[in-house]
Amino acid sequence: KNQRIGGDEALALPPSTTTTTLIAMTDEERDECHNVAKAHLLQKYRTTGHSTSAISRALGLHKGWGSDSKIKALRRKLRDLRREDPGLRAVIFTQYTAKHDAIVEKCKKDGFETFEFNGSSSATKRDRQIREFQATDDDNSSRPAVFVITLRAGSVGITLTAASHCFLMEPALDPATEVQAAGRIHRLG
């Protein structure tokens, strides 16, 4: 990593830019999230007492909260990026299979070539989807494409350097998971 050639770093990545977009939930989404979390926490405390994981489970219990607002914002951003770059390639990470499926459906509807896998996908499918997304031949690189992946299934061990944008649909309880996921597009390869 410290090797220099002609005074320049031998291995250097271009800078990575991170932007956080906060999406406001609708009143209905907020109420639903609050009610689900409250009910889950009450049930958790009744059955097992205090647990540090109770809050994280409550937040994850209702896998769709905020979905409509977030997916609308994602679709708007992807369409804007496609206007700027018709060969756009983006990776989208979500923690939940229900949201994964909804994003895949909406991206296909918006005309994006869509690649995807989640934890239940076979190793063969994962490998094929990664290879096809990474392909940069003339036919493939000019079409806008998105790769939708569940966070646990794809945050480590894969290279998706064909992408120029990465979207994380939900915050992870461990920030290192987010860094690992975003790092799939920003690495040597």
Side-chain angles (χ1 to χ4, degrees):
K1 290 183 178 180
N2 295 328
Q3 182 182 10
R4 297 203 171 269
I5 299 174
D8 294 329
E9 292 180 43
L11 299 175
L13 291 171
S16 173
T17 303
T18 301
T19 304
T20 301
T21 303
L22 300 176
I23 307 298
M25 288 189 275
T26 64
D27 290 340
E28 288 128 3
E29 290 170 335
R30 189 177 300 106
D31 290 345
E32 187 176 359
C33 177
H34 175 74
N35 291 336
V36 169
K38 187 169 112 180
H40 182 70
L41 286 173
L42 288 173
Q43 178 63 26
K44 183 71 177 170
Y45 286 120
R46 273 191 223 126
T47 58
T48 63
H50 268 311
S51 170
T52 57
S53 64
I55 292 173
S56 64
R57 287 191 194 137
L59 291 174
L61 179 67
H62 185 61
K63 295 167 176 47
W65 65 270
S67 291
D68 290 341
S69 298
K70 290 179 183 181
I71 292 174
K72 284 177 185 175
L74 171 70
R75 293 175 75 191
R76 190 170 33 254
K77 183 65 175 177
L78 287 172
R79 288 189 300 260
D80 289 348
L81 289 169
R82 180 175 53 193
R83 276 192 291 279
E84 295 170 18
D85 177 12
L88 169 71
R89 296 181 102 53
V91 177
I92 304 163
F93 286 101
T94 182
Q95 294 190 54
Y96 309 113
T97 54
K99 189 175 290 182
H100 171 274
D101 295 344
I103 293 169
V104 167
E105 177 189 329
K106 299 295 185 185
C107 287
K108 286 180 179 179
K109 184 178 179 181
D110 288 344
F112 288 96
E113 183 173 8
T114 306
F115 302 89
E116 53 97 8
F117 68 76
N118 59 41
S120 64
S121 300
S122 70
T124 303
K125 178 181 180 180
R126 290 178 194 211
D127 183 57
R128 186 180 67 249
Q129 293 286 287
I130 291 168
R131 277 189 282 109
E132 289 177 10
F133 181 80
Q134 284 290 97
T136 55
D137 61 32
D138 291 335
D139 291 340
N140 214 18
S141 62
S142 63
R143 293 179 291 181
V146 296
F147 203 138
V148 185
I149 308 170
T150 53
L151 195 58
R152 286 186 186 155
S155 64
V156 295
I158 59 175
T159 298
L160 299 170
T161 53
S164 58
H165 292 80
C166 178
F167 296 88
L168 301 165
M169 296 302 290
E170 304 88 17
L173 291 174
D174 179 2
T177 305
E178 296 176 14
V179 172
Q180 285 288 332
R184 302 307 90 210
I185 73 167
H186 191 255
R187 56 191 304 173
L188 295 173

